[in-house]
Each structure stands twice: as structure tokens, then as C-alpha cells.
Amino acid sequence: MAANHSEQVSTYLPLHVIEIILLNLPAKSLLRFKAVSKSWNTTISDPVFVQNHLHQSKASNSRNLFLCKCKSIFSCYDSKKFSLARVDQDRRLRTLQVVEIPCGFYRLVLCYCDGVLLLTSADERRSGVEFVLWNPSTRTQTIFRLPFELSTDFKCYGLCHDPGIGDFKVVVICSNHYAVYSCKNKAWTRKKEFGDTFRVAYHPGVFVDGVVYWLMMEKDERRFKLTYFDPRDDEFKMPNDEQGIFEVQRPTYMIDFGGRLCVYIYEQRDKVVHIWIKGKGLDNNSWKELITVENVERFASYFVPMCFVENKIVIRLDGTTIVAYNPSEKTFEEFEDIKHYFDFLSVPYVESLISPNTFFRPKRKRNCL
């Protein structure tokens, strides 16, 4: 019956129109619609469709999806589940679904990109610890180990996705050296050391423009520098800073804000936070000030800009306090009824059909959107 219905719909709608409609549906619905017919299954499973759906998800920032820890009915947080929540215009968080993390892994998100999260099974300072790349939308995953001990001290992580072949690369920075894991090759690569000039000042890495950005700090001058990991040659590079955004010696942080790279800098004397946004594209090194948040009485690493709702910017002030800042009135409006969320995580979530254990090289080209 389902197949007959699909054939009837296809008689009235051209296939490219059906594909455009499917591209605007959430991943959960598309996985269900694979069972409608062979043609729908073929379309939804096609690597080009998967990439187009990802681009559509990134372009549609109106949903404002985030992952958070959720409480159980007994007001204790559930260490095995995430809540997928949407930021609504009425200053509320609405749970769309609850997903269980892979068995044996912690709920701490080390890094993320294109809807795929990196989680760990134990204390990542030990060698031989397991990691998992997991897509909550498709429930697909791939598990790998850290076969050698990078270091026993501080480490930070980055994750990037090469859409050309579908490969995910995990970057682990430790002290003054780093290593790279390729999911396609299922192998780690030891890389050369950074040297003693820089150290990582902000983590985790932020995946934007097809690369992973980090803030590094010059040890002698105490100034921030922007650097990025290029998955094409597994090397770290420095973009130009012609506007001197990183010349300041003030608390500087970095985020993925609606698919764009943003940095925000706190001016303690004036109690303001300046949020700058980078030009779109890897080779575009221009910056413009997105917004200035005034009357910031308290600032800490918990302060994270999250998204825009109409003309207001949503900000996480601490673990459980979320506000909407009105730039015209310079006031903060606190979100209501977030008692069901424990230690809200500012992890922007993009629905995708990408599997961390499937590799492909798209061949066909479509202009569907």
C-alpha cells in the first residue's frame, strides 16, 4: 500500500520536486520514509542527498537546536541521556526528543561537527581509552582507541569532516604536539610538535569553513592568535589578522554561531562583551562586530552566546541560567521553566544523515535548492 501511494504521488509530482520536499524534513522523518519505496530509499541514502540535507539543515537556523543534560522525574540528572531542545520565541526551551548515548560512554561532549559528537568512555588521560563518534539522529557510531599515551596532562580535541570522501578526522592536542585519527583509514598519525612558542588557550576546536579553529596564546606576549587545522594536509596554519582582532590582552573566547566563526571579548572596565563574526569562507579573513552586549555584571567561561531569536540574542550566563538580551533596551530577560534541564550545554545541534562509519565520494551533481 505504501509503495502504491508513493507511485501515485510520483505521478503528480516530478522527482526533483519530491527531493526538494524531502530535503526540508528532519532526519528522523527521512529515516522512517526510507521504507516508503525503493526509489525513496535510494534518494534518501544517496551521498549527494545526504550532503544537500546537511547544507539545508545548516542554512535553516530558525530551529535553534541544542543538546542538554536532562533531569529524571526524581530531579536527578540522567547520565545516559541527552535532551534535544529548541529555543523558542517565548523564552522557553522545548524538548523535541530524548536520546540515549551509546552504552559505556560518558555524556561529556569533547567536540562536534556536522551533527556528529565525540564522546569518551573513561578518563581520557589514560592510554587505550575508547572514543566514539556518534550521530544522535541516525544512531550510527564508530568506536576507536587511543593506542599510545599522548600525555598525562591537559588535552583538547577537534573534529572535522571532509565531505569529499566522507572521512571524519579527530585531532588531539596535548602540550606542544598533536595526533590525528582518520576514520576512513582507521589509523592514528603522530605529528610534529608545535614548539614552545604557543599553547592552546581555548578548547575544544570549532569546526567552521571545513577546518578546525583554535585560539593559541603566545607565551611571551600573552596575546591570542587564531590557528586552524587543515584536514587536507593535517597541518596547522595561521590566517592573517589584518584588523588586529586578536591583539588585545583580554579574556577571549570562540564559538560556532549559526555556522559562522565568532569570537567574543570581555571589557571588564566597561562591563561589555564585544562579539565579532568572521567572513564566510576559509580565505575570507575579514571580521565585523556582530553585537555589543552591555551591562554584563558578571562574566565567566560559562558566558556563551547561543543564537538569535527575533532581534534578541540568547546567552547562557551559567550552568542553568539562560537569558535573552535586548540590544535596543540593553536589558536581559531570563528564560522560564528550565528546571527540567540540568547543566545546560551550549552545544548547537545540526540534524544530519551523515554516518561516521560510511565513506563515499559523491559523483552526481544536482541543483535542487
Side-chain angles (χ1 to χ4, degrees):
M1 178 64 100
N4 292 335
H5 178 68
S6 172
E7 291 171 3
Q8 290 176 5
V9 172
S10 301
T11 359
Y12 297 101
L13 289 177
L15 290 177
H16 73 278
V17 175
I18 294 177
E19 183 167 333
I20 292 175
I21 296 173
L22 293 176
L23 283 172
N24 287 275
L25 297 178
K28 186 177 180 180
S29 299
L30 290 173
L31 294 174
R32 194 168 62 247
F33 289 164
K34 279 187 173 185
V36 169
S37 67
K38 288 184 178 180
S39 62
W40 281 34
N41 181 47
T42 301
T43 297
I44 296 171
S45 302
D46 188 283
V48 174
F49 179 89
V50 171
Q51 279 301 125
N52 286 340
H53 180 265
L54 174 63
H55 294 323
Q56 182 70 5
S57 296
K58 288 183 174 180
S60 176
N61 56 10
S62 59
R63 299 196 68 187
N64 293 337
L65 300 179
F66 292 85
L67 287 176
C68 63
K69 299 177 181 179
C70 56
K71 288 185 178 181
S72 68
I73 57 175
F74 302 106
S75 297
C76 298
Y77 72 92
D78 193 330
S79 61
K80 300 298 181 183
K81 296 179 181 178
F82 278 120
S83 284
L84 179 60
R86 183 183 64 212
V87 179
D88 282 349
Q89 296 179 359
D90 58 356
R91 303 199 317 277
R92 291 180 183 274
L93 299 175
R94 303 196 187 277
T95 298
L96 302 182
Q97 66 180 107
V98 176
V99 291
E100 289 195 18
I101 66 174
C103 182
F105 290 89
Y106 289 146
R107 200 173 43 173
L108 174 64
V109 179
L110 299 177
C111 52
Y112 56 90
C113 92
D114 288 353
V116 175
L117 313 178
L118 176 66
L119 310 176
T120 183
S121 63
D123 186 350
E124 70 269 18
R125 291 176 299 177
R126 296 189 293 106
S127 60
V129 67
E130 283 190 331
F131 295 91
V132 62
L133 285 176
W134 171 57
N135 185 334
S137 294
T138 62
R139 307 296 200 274
T140 53
Q141 65 184 53
T142 184
I143 298 174
F144 56 97
R145 288 180 176 273
L146 186 65
F148 47 84
E149 189 174 6
L150 288 176
S151 176
T152 55
D153 54 13
F154 172 83
K155 289 199 292 290
C156 64
Y157 302 87
L159 177 63
C160 57
H161 176 229
D162 183 351
I165 57 176
D167 189 16
F168 279 90
K169 288 187 176 180
V170 179
V171 186
V172 183
I173 299 177
C174 182
S175 249
N176 59 353
H177 57 280
Y178 67 98
V180 181
Y181 179 80
S182 167
C183 290
K184 182 182 180 182
N185 299 329
K186 297 183 179 180
W188 286 91
T189 304
R190 285 184 181 270
K191 300 302 295 184
K192 61 184 179 182
E193 297 185 352
F194 288 119
D196 297 326
T197 310
F198 295 94
R199 65 178 176 85
V200 176
Y202 181 85
H203 63 94
V206 177
F207 177 74
V208 177
D209 300 330
V211 299
V212 187
Y213 289 94
W214 272 278
L215 283 178
M216 310 287 279
M217 179 173 283
E218 293 180 336
K219 289 186 178 180
D220 296 333
E221 301 184 30
R222 301 289 296 176
R223 290 185 304 139
F224 291 101
K225 290 287 185 180
L226 186 66
T227 185
Y228 65 86
F229 170 82
D230 192 337
R232 294 171 296 184
D233 55 12
D234 290 0
E235 296 292 340
F236 275 83
K237 301 171 183 178
M238 293 277 189
N240 294 326
D241 181 24
E242 298 175 357
Q243 295 172 250
I245 300 297
F246 302 97
E247 294 296 322
V248 298
Q249 296 183 4
R250 299 179 183 89
T252 304
Y253 300 86
M254 181 175 60
I255 54 168
D256 167 11
F257 192 83
R260 302 281 293 277
L261 183 67
C262 283
V263 297
Y264 52 104
I265 302 169
Y266 178 54
E267 300 275 1
Q268 184 175 9
R269 183 186 63 182
D270 301 325
K271 297 182 179 179
V272 300
V273 176
H274 299 284
I275 304 177
W276 294 77
I277 186 168
K278 180 183 173 297
K280 194 172 184 179
L282 179 59
D283 298 324
N284 188 342
N285 293 315
S286 63
W287 293 82
K288 69 176 182 179
E289 189 162 4
L290 180 66
I291 191 174
T292 297
V293 182
E294 302 186 35
N295 301 321
V296 181
E297 297 295 336
R298 50 180 175 152
F299 183 89
S301 57
Y302 289 114
F303 184 104
V304 178
M306 295 170 57
C307 62
F308 276 106
V309 173
E310 296 180 328
N311 65 331
K312 301 174 184 177
I313 185 170
V314 179
I315 301 170
R316 187 191 73 178
L317 290 184
D318 55 42
T320 55
T321 303
I322 304 171
V323 298
Y325 175 74
N326 188 328
S328 59
E329 299 178 3
K330 302 178 182 179
T331 56
F332 298 89
E333 302 169 0
E334 191 166 342
F335 270 57
E336 303 173 1
D337 194 25
I338 60 172
K339 60 184 179 181
H340 299 297
Y341 300 91
F342 181 88
D343 189 18
F344 194 88
L345 295 174
S346 184
V347 178
Y349 184 71
V350 176
E351 287 191 324
S352 79
L353 297 169
I354 292 177
S355 172
N357 54 15
T358 301
F359 315 107
F360 52 80
R361 185 182 297 275
K363 295 182 179 180
R364 69 186 180 99
K365 294 182 179 180
R366 291 180 178 173
N367 297 317
C368 299
L369 301 181

